[in-house]
Amino acid sequence: MKLIIGILFISVFSISIHAQTFVDSIQKLDEVVLSDVKLKRYATGYKVTVLSDSILKKNNTSLTDVLRFNSNIYLKENGYGMVSSPSFRGTNASQTAVVWNGININSQLNGQTDFNTVSTSNYNAIAIRSGGGSVQYGSGAIGGSIHLNNELKFYSHAENRLKLAYGSFNTKQIALNSSFGNNLWTATIGAAYNHSDNDYKFLGTNMKNENAAFDNLDLNFNLGYVVSKKDVLKLYHQNFKSDREFSSTLVAPSDSKYISKDYRTMLEWVRISGSVSSKLKAVNLLEEFKYFENKNSSNFSKGKANTWLFKYNFNYKFSETLELNAISDYSYITARGNSFSNPKRNAFSVTTILSHRPLPKLQYALSVRQDVISNFKSPLVYSVDASFKATKHYTLKINASKNYRVPTFNDLYWQPGGNLDLKPESSFQIDLGQEVFVKDFNFSLNGFYIKSSDLIQWRPNSSLGYWNPVNIANADHYGIEFGLDVNKKINKHSLNLNSNYSYTIARDLDKAQDLFYVPTHKANAAVSYNYKFFTMFYQHLYNGEVTIIGDELKGFDVGNLGLSYAFNANNSWEYILDFKLNNLYNVYYENVSLRPMPNRNFTIQLTFKF
């Protein structure tokens, strides 16, 4: 990889003096040199929410904070900064796909992504795609998918941003982002470090959050190079390291610690020639962890998974209204660890997507995917989606799909407990949505239904004397989602309102009971006011009651208040001072039973743009 980077940089700087030669051709390649995932293009009948840069700045520590206050997704967090897993439309954590620049990065070990190991500082765009997406994004995209994208800008520019922050519980943050390049090449570099003692008090008790400190380091490097009038070469690389103590609960102390590392590298070749375009990706994903039952001991358990992925995307545009997209990919996955031997997996898939716009106001897509995976049979999955723009201000959307999730290495090979007889989880979902756009007013309303079967659950086995996974549960998920955005500007005053509400029912049909940790009601709202260089915002989150084992976890309301002022805003150097008060009302609340979240706390941040 070092050799590849060296060759690319030598090529870039040796040819940069000829940048203007390809100016016209680069403009034609605009479609491929920005975000890798053109969600709007292949999700015409789906609900897609793009989180703006202003939203990301309000919650810039972790993906958990961003989604909790700006989406319909419920985040089950084992104390602040600890393991965080999503419930998207009532599905479990392994049924939400996280997609990095077009590649599904859910763990091969447990099938999930810990949202507290994803820093938002080094991404230009984060998008939420609601509804089943297994056809395009593979295993686990049942409830929806979260997309993390790095944009590459092919024009002459040099942009730098440095953030320094300090807050309660000795929380320290530093992040540096740079983007530079011209019409021929471009690069982005990002580094973000976050530390916290995280020793907040448990309100109403004489206890505090012990053994909860964490350190996160995220390094990101991306490079794009125009090889010819038809070809673009792109390189993406990310390192993330997390060193976390696992906090105590109200009833049990803890001395454990967990160190995890993720390395992601992708080399992509994009070619456009007339009505034909193609993308070839070579990807390496490496994840590893060490778990210390006693952080002061040198004894630990460990696990590691290494994925090599090759993906080819061929697109043929028959006309301005009809195009065909064919995708094939092959992956080879190996793992090692104390709790399993050395499992291997070969997987090959073929996907076909037909997109058609028969009328100016009507567009639809048909998709089908077949996987061939070693050791078990994978189902054929498909999807259909459509949108109809009935009027200038009103659009009707619908999508339906069959989706799946393959058993993970832990499910199959964990010792003791792995079950080689597991079948893939499968589901069918349908979603009907409406969108209204009237000047400064955007409104969306979606109704959804998901029927899942062969859900994999780890359960105690009395005859074996330990827990093991089995295909046992069938579940129904249904509900509605509501979104409202209002943006009003009068002279130098601007007012913005963003809000979401979801009503979700998720039932285990075999046990005739609600699924655990799925709030029936969840709502959030953010209102911000801006005048010249001054901004003030307020965020509010309501999370309803959730069912837990043998009980219910109470609902809660949490509010945050923020102030911001930009100095020297009209010059090349800009300084922005931010102050944020979290949990404004000092509310006691839990996302997971017996694990209290922080009391009232503050963050002060200084940002330099140059």
Side-chain angles (χ1 to χ4, degrees):
M1 184 54 64
K2 291 181 179 178
L3 177 60
I4 293 174
I5 295 174
I7 293 172
L8 289 175
F9 266 112
I10 292 170
S11 301
V12 165
F13 288 110
S14 64
I15 306 177
S16 61
I17 58 174
H18 303 293
Q20 292 302 315
T21 304
F22 298 116
V23 170
D24 293 335
S25 63
I26 293 168
Q27 299 307 313
K28 296 176 184 178
L29 294 176
D30 175 69
E31 201 169 305
V32 299
V33 297
L34 296 177
S35 173
D36 179 77
V37 184
K38 289 287 183 179
L39 288 175
K40 296 289 186 180
R41 184 176 176 185
Y42 294 115
T44 182
Y46 288 84
K47 174 186 175 184
V48 176
T49 304
V50 178
L51 302 181
S52 66
D53 186 58
S54 60
I55 289 177
L56 298 180
K57 286 189 293 186
K58 292 183 178 68
N59 303 94
N60 62 357
T61 304
S62 70
L63 188 58
T64 297
D65 288 336
V66 170
L67 297 179
R68 176 176 289 135
F69 283 93
N70 300 284
S71 76
N72 298 112
I73 302 173
Y74 173 70
L75 280 304
K76 189 174 72 171
E77 190 176 19
N78 293 335
Y80 189 74
M82 303 295 104
V83 175
S84 176
S85 56
S87 175
F88 203 147
R89 293 185 165 181
T91 61
N92 61 43
S94 55
Q95 295 174 332
T96 297
V98 177
V99 181
W100 170 72
N101 293 304
I103 301 298
N104 187 326
I105 59 170
N106 279 17
S107 169
Q108 296 294 333
L109 300 177
N110 61 22
Q112 306 175 18
T113 294
D114 181 352
F115 281 23
N116 274 333
T117 63
V118 178
S119 170
T120 62
S121 298
N122 289 332
Y123 295 104
N124 306 101
I126 296 178
I128 304 165
R129 184 183 190 268
S130 302
S134 291
V135 172
Q136 290 174 259
Y137 307 113
S139 173
I142 292 176
S145 51
I146 312 298
H147 298 259
L148 312 172
N149 300 322
N150 295 107
E151 295 181 347
L152 295 173
K153 305 174 182 178
F154 283 80
Y155 57 84
S156 182
H157 69 288
E159 303 165 357
N160 300 282
R161 181 171 60 187
L162 174 65
K163 292 182 180 180
L164 303 171
Y166 183 80
S168 302
F169 325 123
N170 194 32
T171 300
K172 292 170 281 189
Q173 302 169 26
I174 180 170
L176 174 64
N177 299 93
S178 294
S179 176
F180 46 91
N182 56 31
N183 295 298
L184 186 64
W185 64 272
T186 186
T188 63
I189 300 173
Y193 173 74
N194 184 26
H195 164 85
S196 180
D197 291 347
N198 206 26
D199 55 349
Y200 53 86
K201 294 181 180 179
F202 293 166
L203 291 172
T205 74
N206 57 0
M207 304 170 62
K208 68 176 182 178
N209 196 34
E210 297 181 339
N211 197 67
F214 58 81
D215 289 276
N216 297 328
L217 176 63
D218 184 27
L219 302 175
N220 201 301
F221 170 77
N222 310 288
L223 176 67
Y225 173 46
V226 178
V227 180
S228 72
K229 295 181 179 181
K230 297 180 180 180
D231 302 278
V232 176
L233 196 62
K234 296 189 282 187
L235 175 68
Y236 300 91
H237 182 73
Q238 182 190 30
N239 289 4
F240 189 94
K241 180 181 178 181
S242 175
D243 188 341
R244 288 180 291 179
E245 299 170 345
F246 275 0
S247 61
S248 306
T249 70
L250 287 173
V251 296
S254 172
D255 288 316
S256 60
K257 183 175 75 168
Y258 189 83
I259 299 175
S260 62
K261 298 178 182 179
D262 290 282
Y263 304 92
R264 304 180 183 114
T265 304
M266 178 169 68
L267 185 63
E268 179 181 27
W269 173 34
V270 181
R271 181 175 178 84
I272 293 181
S273 179
S275 58
V276 176
S277 63
S278 63
K279 297 180 183 180
L280 178 62
K281 299 182 179 183
V283 185
N284 179 238
L285 306 174
L286 176 63
E287 55 177 300
E288 56 183 326
F289 72 86
K290 292 180 180 179
Y291 174 72
F292 299 77
E293 183 66 29
N294 185 335
K295 66 183 180 183
N296 298 313
S297 170
S298 59
N299 297 322
F300 59 85
S301 59
K302 62 181 180 179
K304 182 178 183 179
N306 192 29
T307 300
W308 288 96
L309 172 66
F310 300 92
K311 185 173 184 177
Y312 180 69
N313 185 317
F314 176 83
N315 183 275
Y316 185 78
K317 199 169 185 179
F318 295 94
S319 68
E320 290 299 319
T321 61
L322 180 65
E323 60 182 283
L324 179 69
N325 193 23
I327 305 168
S328 62
D329 64 67
Y330 168 76
S331 60
Y332 176 66
I333 309 161
T334 59
R336 290 184 296 171
N338 298 102
S339 297
F340 40 78
S341 52
N342 298 328
K344 299 178 176 62
R345 174 178 290 174
N346 289 279
F348 176 76
S349 73
V350 176
T351 303
T352 303
I353 305 172
L354 180 68
S355 179
H356 186 210
R357 191 175 71 248
L359 300 170
K361 295 183 178 181
L362 175 64
Q363 186 171 349
Y364 70 89
L366 304 173
S367 310
V368 64
R369 175 187 177 117
Q370 178 63 64
D371 288 76
V372 179
I373 304 176
S374 55
N375 302 325
F376 57 87
K377 185 178 180 180
S378 182
L380 177 74
V381 294
Y382 52 83
S383 70
V384 56
D385 64 279
S387 68
F388 178 66
K389 192 173 180 63
T391 71
K392 180 180 179 181
H393 304 293
Y394 177 76
T395 300
L396 184 66
K397 295 186 174 185
I398 187 170
N399 66 82
S401 60
K402 181 179 179 180
N403 302 280
Y404 75 107
R405 183 181 78 87
V406 298
T408 65
F409 279 177
N410 286 3
D411 293 331
L412 295 170
Y413 305 111
W414 191 269
Q415 295 298 325
N419 183 357
L420 293 175
D421 296 323
L422 289 172
K423 297 183 293 185
E425 298 178 347
S426 63
S427 72
F428 176 82
Q429 71 92 33
I430 187 168
D431 179 300
L432 179 64
Q434 303 174 74
E435 295 181 353
V436 178
F437 301 92
V438 181
K439 207 173 181 179
D440 303 321
F441 173 94
N442 296 336
F443 168 82
S444 66
L445 179 65
N446 287 73
F448 64 89
Y449 172 74
I450 305 172
K451 185 173 184 62
S452 300
S453 58
D454 294 321
L455 296 186
I456 299 171
Q457 293 186 349
W458 283 73
R459 293 192 170 185
N461 189 316
S462 56
S463 61
L464 297 176
Y466 50 76
W467 290 59
N468 74 317
V470 290
N471 292 108
I472 196 169
N474 297 295
D476 276 354
H477 313 249
Y478 57 90
I480 59 172
E481 294 175 346
F482 160 90
L484 175 65
D485 296 328
V486 180
N487 301 282
K488 190 66 177 178
K489 188 171 184 178
I490 302 175
N491 297 325
K492 296 182 180 180
H493 302 267
S494 61
L495 186 67
N496 306 94
L497 170 67
N498 308 100
S499 61
N500 299 281
Y501 167 77
S502 60
Y503 171 81
T504 307
I505 299 295
R507 298 278 294 173
D508 183 328
L509 299 180
D510 299 327
K511 291 187 174 183
Q513 67 179 26
D514 291 337
L515 295 180
F516 299 145
Y517 288 105
V518 178
T520 303
H521 303 280
K522 180 181 183 293
N524 53 60
V527 59
S528 63
Y529 166 76
N530 175 263
Y531 175 71
K532 292 184 178 180
F533 310 127
F534 171 77
T535 301
M536 178 173 64
F537 69 88
Y538 174 77
Q539 298 174 312
H540 195 90
L541 168 66
Y542 169 71
N543 206 98
E545 294 179 349
V546 299
T547 300
I548 59 176
I549 298 176
D551 201 357
E552 285 187 340
L553 195 61
K554 292 182 179 180
F556 56 84
D557 285 274
V558 178
N560 302 328
L561 179 66
L563 303 172
S564 176
Y565 191 85
F567 299 87
N568 206 42
N570 294 323
N571 296 283
S572 58
W573 283 71
E574 181 181 0
Y575 316 88
I576 305 172
L577 181 63
D578 295 278
F579 174 79
K580 187 178 179 185
L581 197 60
N582 302 297
N583 195 357
L584 178 64
Y585 310 114
N586 210 29
V587 173
Y588 177 93
Y589 69 104
E590 300 172 354
N591 284 307
V592 173
S593 179
L594 303 177
R595 293 185 178 275
M597 294 295 285
N599 52 317
R600 185 186 294 123
N601 61 94
F602 74 91
T603 301
I604 298 176
Q605 177 176 283
L606 183 60
T607 302
F608 301 89
K609 290 184 178 181
F610 53 96

